Amino acid sequence: VAGWGGGGGGAGGSGTRAGLVVGGVVTKRLWGGPFNFVLNEGGVAQVAALAREAQPAAMGIGVPGIAREPGGAAAFGAAITEASGVPTVAAPDATIAWLGAFLGDPGIIVSAGTGSVAVGGSSPGDLVRVGGHGHLIGDEGSAYWVGRRALRAALAATERDGPPTALVDVIATATGGTLDEFVLRVQRAPADRTILTSLTPLVVRLAEGPEADPVAQVIIADAAAALAGLAATLRVRLGDLPVAGSGGML
């Protein structure tokens, strides 16, 4: 069985990861490019190629962006099955993260990587979701959100519409150009979320230590508050369930 998951390993904004599981033990790991059901085409071919490489008896895959598409998970799984010859079941990536965290017991998972979402409940069939609205509308606290906030703060500082921040020089150095040139890169490739998420490690480093940049600190604190807020919202609705986190942003 090849296991695919979202934040914990599988299709996602930073890459696609797979594990070949034999007798409950991961015996092989495989890697592919980023994939999001809403933003990217070619996901069937990409996943089917990994399936043919791993040659599992069956496969499960967690797919980001598929939760809002009625019947999307079933159709995607069927398409992978047909393309690869491997029986495949697909589910939203947050569902896979929830299963990995609680093994089917009640709980809440906050998944934060390129995007952000939280789901909670007692069984895969009755999970309640908050967040996960995508980078154009929401995904507060995600790596994309942090990168966008950082770029906006740097632009505000150069226009004297915001406080001074080391982000101005750090972003320019890291990207090898001016802020205006970087803005053009973002605008010309709106579906490529890696452009802005590449800034997030820079913001994290600037927010640490005794000489931390105050603007970077505020961005990271706001991101943490947003992710905590997702869990808090679900606990109001579902009760005081245990909370776990997954994803590179955490």
Side-chain angles (χ1 to χ4, degrees), residues 29-126:
R29 298 187 185 275
L30 303 98
W31 304 86
F35 173 68
N36 180 285
F37 184 79
V38 175
L39 300 175
N40 308 117
E41 297 180 355
V44 170
Q46 180 177 327
V47 176
L50 283 173
R52 287 191 292 269
E53 181 180 353
Q55 296 184 332
M59 181 166 62
I61 175 170
V63 186
I66 208 167
R68 295 184 184 278
E69 180 75 23
F76 193 80
I80 299 297
T81 299
E82 182 177 355
S84 66
V86 176
T88 300
V89 175
D93 57 336
T95 300
I96 303 301
W98 177 84
L99 286 168
F102 299 104
L103 302 179
D105 290 334
I108 295 168
I109 182 79
V110 177
S111 183
T114 302
S116 65
V117 66
V119 300
S122 302
S123 69
D126 70 356

Side-chain angles (χ1 to χ4, degrees), residues 6 27 34 44 53 58 60 70 84 93 117 133 140 165 188 198 205 207 216 222 233 237:
T27 61
V44 170
E53 181 180 353
S84 66
D93 57 336
V117 66
H133 303 308
E140 291 84 357
T165 172
R188 287 171 175 167
S198 68
R205 285 197 291 271
D222 287 349
T233 298
R237 297 174 62 178

